[in-house]
Amino acid sequence: PRITAFNVYGPTECTVDSTVRAVRGAARPSLGAPLANVRAYVLDANLQPVAVGVPGELFLAGEGVGRGYLERPALTAERFVPNPFSTVPGARMYRTGDKARWLPDGELAFLGRLDFQVKLRGFRIELGEIESVLRAHPAVGDAVAVVRDEGSAGAKLVAYVVPSREHPERPDPTELRAHLVGRLPEYMVPSALTVLESLPLTPSGKVNRKALPAVELGATAGVDFVAPGTATEQLLAGIFAEVLGLDRVGIHSHFFELGGHSLLATRAISRIRSAFNLEVPLRELFVSPTVASLAVRVDRLIRAGASLAVPPLKPREDKGQPARLSFAQQRLWFLDQLEPGSASYNMPGAVRMSGPLDTEALARTFQELVRRHEALRTTFRSENGVAVQSVLSEVEVPLRVVQLEGLPESAREAEARRHVEQEVLLPFDLARGPLLRVTLLRLSAEEHVLVVVMHHIVSDGWSTGLLVREVAALYGAYVEGRPSPLGELPVQYGDYAEWQRGWLQGEVLEQQVEYWRKQLEGAPTALELVTDKPRPAAQSFRGAMLERRWEKGLWRKVEEVSRREGVTPFMVLLSAYQVVLSRHAGQREVVVGFPIAG
């Protein structure tokens, strides 16, 4: 009775003690309130404060926050982030990874770890949901699901189970997998299931996830390992193992049950193309997902003489001469000739940035990006009726700064939005360049909006991720007074364009074009919807977009159909879309266009 107990919360990275709450009675204590020299924030995904009672991630700031992790700059940057709520230069806050909410009395309630909600291959996964379904199996007493980083093969979802006391016999992984497949979408079914006698625990009785043993990902559940016999099987088994990040793969192991997915399938097909000098369609891997079955198809293609003669990609010899356009660039150049001054193929991006900003370092960053990538110094013109691209030795791409901080706060956002829309809709001149524009809207001393616009002829969706990574690396170095950390590029896009043109010509090109001629032979030229307005002589582009959110149950049905038919959800949706259009138009055939990637 004379002892007062306290619930003290805090991570090691914040000198352990950050919040405190006296324990009174039998009620479960909250995390309490921050100590005097600690600041606590509950923030959403955009690092904006949430309302009282709304869950978010708990961030800690103040005197106790450490400087970072020793010799681990990437992890430090991820967990110790700039504090936008502090006026102290360089102030940072630590993201705890804990889910919390503010209580009406000003104390914090702990809601669990955000680590147990993961994002894998674009899907958000609740690990607790997988564990709950596993525990529902009568043979399972307890279960834990985790994501493991398997190096080159990327992250893998794995699960560990222990037998229940009522059914002490060892659970069958094949049976457990079937149990999961019937109740969870495909992307939430673990790549491997491991049975343990007990789960490792921390001294406080929690599951020690770091102490869970490594899993055997090299075999499909219920399938004995059979070593490859033929040369083709050996090569394919090696490719499967490399792409999936495994030590070995048997000839009867299933690519997708070993943890493969559509992105890894594309990588595997690329490796097969290089190893066998052979164009193997991606669908072959879906139809024949084992080494043994795929080897039969590869051997059949080799016997049919389907080998490729692809020259190596290397820098072009005469950099001074204009290069030919790649087929993708030629398409965009052609569209620009049809409709000059159009902003249809502008690729815009606008990013709001909070905190101190070094404008000089940012301007230098984009100038180095232009120097580094020939594509950003390229212009396009016609020579004797043929489009060519010229790389300029130097191009100045200034960082245009627009001052908006003098405006009343109510007008600032509206003016910023107007400037963004103006930048997005401003067309590029392909013949004059540059085909990159960078504008910085200054809303206040520590609030900016960065607007980057490129023409699609020098960039694409895949390039955006590269641009973000390189801007982050260069800006970080320049702010600290360091030189560029990025090495020189071995090949440029103009080299690729020349390589593509040198290879895809004559018989090789004709074979590719002929395929599409046959596919589109007799296809309708237009979609005549009976309820639509008369088709105008020229497109007006006046239209609208309607968004609807699906119920989760409906999406699960789409996934179920795609699994049953052995196709991707995209194929199911496209088929359904075409059926709807066909019925409304009264046409047996419809032609649908969609982006070539993503």
Side-chain angles (χ1 to χ4, degrees):
R2 295 188 301 275
I3 293 175
T4 302
F6 293 89
N7 182 35
V8 183
Y9 162 86
T12 308
E13 290 86 347
C14 298
T15 331
V16 181
D17 296 348
S18 299
T19 71
V20 65
R21 168 74 152 84
V23 179
R24 301 185 185 93
R28 179 186 175 94
S30 71
L31 296 185
L35 299 176
N37 59 356
V38 175
R39 298 287 176 270
Y41 307 100
V42 181
L43 308 178
D44 63 17
N46 297 316
L47 301 189
Q48 296 298 314
V50 299
V52 172
V54 176
E57 183 173 2
L58 179 58
F59 288 72
L60 297 172
E63 297 302 321
V65 176
R67 294 187 178 184
Y69 300 104
L70 182 64
E71 297 178 354
R72 300 193 67 184
L75 187 60
T76 297
E78 179 188 340
R79 308 303 295 185
F80 293 85
V81 297
N83 185 355
F85 310 105
S86 173
T87 56
V88 178
R92 291 191 291 176
M93 55 185 182
Y94 175 72
R95 61 186 323 151
T96 65
D98 285 333
K99 194 176 181 181
R101 63 183 172 92
W102 286 112
L103 298 171
D105 59 4
E107 294 190 346
L108 290 159
F110 177 73
L111 302 176
R113 285 290 295 168
L114 284 167
D115 298 356
F116 300 160
Q117 184 191 69
V118 297
K119 194 170 184 182
L120 186 64
R121 301 193 295 277
F123 295 105
R124 195 162 291 284
I125 296 172
E126 290 282 358
L127 297 177
E129 191 175 346
I130 301 169
E131 294 165 357
S132 176
V133 174
L134 280 169
R135 291 190 194 106
H137 192 280
V140 175
D142 203 357
V144 174
V146 297
V147 171
R148 284 190 174 277
D149 188 355
E150 299 297 329
S152 62
K156 294 284 176 62
L157 183 63
V158 299
Y160 302 83
V161 299
V162 295
S164 69
R165 292 178 181 176
E166 292 77 17
H167 298 79
E169 67 275 7
R170 193 177 179 85
D172 180 6
T174 306
E175 186 183 325
L176 291 179
R177 183 178 178 83
H179 172 77
L180 290 171
V181 167
R183 292 163 177 81
L184 293 172
E186 183 270 334
Y187 62 84
M188 288 181 69
V189 177
S191 300
L193 288 154
T194 301
V195 181
L196 303 176
E197 294 304 317
S198 61
L199 296 173
L201 303 176
T202 64
S204 61
K206 299 176 183 176
V207 175
N208 186 352
R209 292 169 182 262
K210 292 181 180 178
L212 289 165
V215 296
E216 177 59 57
L217 286 167
T220 304
V223 177
D224 293 330
F225 176 82
V226 178
T230 68
T232 302
E233 288 177 347
Q234 288 171 0
L235 267 174
L236 288 174
I239 290 168
F240 276 30
E242 178 195 353
V243 169
L244 296 168
L246 306 174
D247 293 331
R248 64 176 191 172
V249 171
I251 63 171
H252 298 308
S253 297
H254 193 290
F255 182 85
F256 297 100
E257 290 182 7
L258 292 176
H261 48 79
S262 55
L263 295 179
L264 289 179
T266 305
R267 196 177 297 171
I269 290 296
S270 176
R271 299 282 197 283
I272 291 168
R273 183 188 297 119
S274 300
F276 292 94
N277 195 27
L278 192 68
E279 189 66 62
V280 179
L282 180 62
R283 66 184 298 274
E284 291 287 2
L285 191 51
F286 284 88
V287 174
S288 308
T290 67
V291 169
S293 58
L294 189 58
V296 172
R297 291 179 175 266
V298 168
D299 285 336
R300 190 180 300 156
L301 287 169
I302 292 172
R303 285 195 299 271
S307 61
L308 292 169
V310 184
L313 173 58
K314 58 185 180 181
R316 61 192 190 280
E317 293 177 2
D318 192 352
K319 290 272 187 177
Q321 293 299 314
R324 290 174 287 182
L325 275 59
S326 70
F327 286 105
Q329 287 178 322
Q330 184 179 7
R331 178 175 70 244
L332 290 160
W333 181 83
F334 178 73
L335 289 168
D336 185 73
Q337 302 305 299
L338 280 178
E339 195 182 353
S342 168
S344 297
Y345 288 94
N346 284 9
M347 295 190 59
V351 184
R352 181 181 289 271
M353 301 185 292
S354 301
L357 182 69
D358 187 332
T359 310
E360 224 172 271
L362 189 64
R364 190 180 165 198
T365 292
F366 278 97
Q367 199 55 51
E368 171 58 17
L369 204 69
V370 171
R371 185 207 66 79
R372 178 176 162 75
H373 293 277
E374 283 183 2
L376 299 178
R377 292 184 275 118
T378 300
T379 58
F380 301 81
R381 67 179 192 276
S382 175
E383 276 190 5
N384 302 319
V386 177
V388 294
Q389 53 181 320
S390 299
V391 179
L392 304 176
S393 56
E394 287 185 15
V395 170
E396 195 70 30
V397 177
L399 174 67
R400 190 169 75 92
V401 180
V402 178
Q403 303 285 354
L404 299 177
E405 55 188 337
L407 296 173
E409 192 173 344
S410 57
R412 241 177 269 162
E413 289 294 326
E415 188 62 13
R417 184 175 292 276
R418 188 185 71 78
H419 273 281
V420 170
E421 290 174 354
Q422 186 177 319
E423 285 298 313
V424 168
L425 295 174
L426 190 64
F428 286 100
D429 185 336
L430 301 192
R432 292 182 59 188
L435 303 181
L436 164 70
R437 282 195 304 270
V438 188
T439 306
L440 185 68
L441 309 178
R442 182 181 168 92
L443 306 182
S444 68
E446 295 199 352
E447 201 70 21
H448 298 80
V449 174
L450 178 68
V451 188
V452 179
V453 187
M454 294 179 286
H455 194 282
H456 195 9
I457 202 167
V458 296
S459 180
D460 61 8
W462 298 104
S463 310
T464 306
L466 178 68
L467 180 138
V468 170
R469 290 195 298 273
E470 292 198 356
V471 166
L474 290 168
Y475 177 77
Y478 293 158
V479 163
E480 296 175 0
R482 295 184 287 111
S484 166
L486 306 176
E488 291 299 313
L489 298 169
V491 291
Q492 297 279 351
Y493 191 81
D495 303 327
Y496 164 77
E498 279 292 339
W499 169 85
Q500 186 191 55
R501 288 290 184 170
W503 168 47
L504 278 177
Q505 59 179 327
E507 189 180 336
V508 177
L509 178 61
E510 186 56 34
Q511 188 179 356
Q512 299 278 341
V513 173
E514 185 57 30
Y515 169 83
W516 287 107
R517 281 203 194 102
K518 286 181 179 176
Q519 293 295 315
L520 297 169
E521 190 176 8
T525 56
L527 182 71
E528 300 294 349
L529 293 173
V530 294
T531 57
D532 207 359
K533 297 176 181 177
R535 186 175 296 277
Q539 282 181 290
S540 66
F541 296 100
R542 288 194 299 272
M545 185 162 67
L546 183 68
E547 291 189 10
R548 286 288 181 269
R549 186 176 292 276
W550 281 9
E551 293 295 322
K552 188 182 287 186
L554 178 58
W555 178 243
R556 291 278 163 86
K557 288 178 181 176
V558 170
E559 292 176 319
E560 185 184 323
V561 171
S562 65
R563 276 200 304 272
R564 190 172 67 239
E565 298 296 330
V567 297
T568 64
F570 173 81
M571 296 177 189
V572 174
L573 296 179
L574 179 62
S575 300
Y577 182 57
Q578 288 179 307
V579 167
V580 170
L581 291 178
S582 171
R583 288 183 179 176
H584 277 289
Q587 295 177 203
R588 187 165 180 78
E589 281 194 328
V590 296
V591 178
V592 176
F594 53 86
I596 59 172

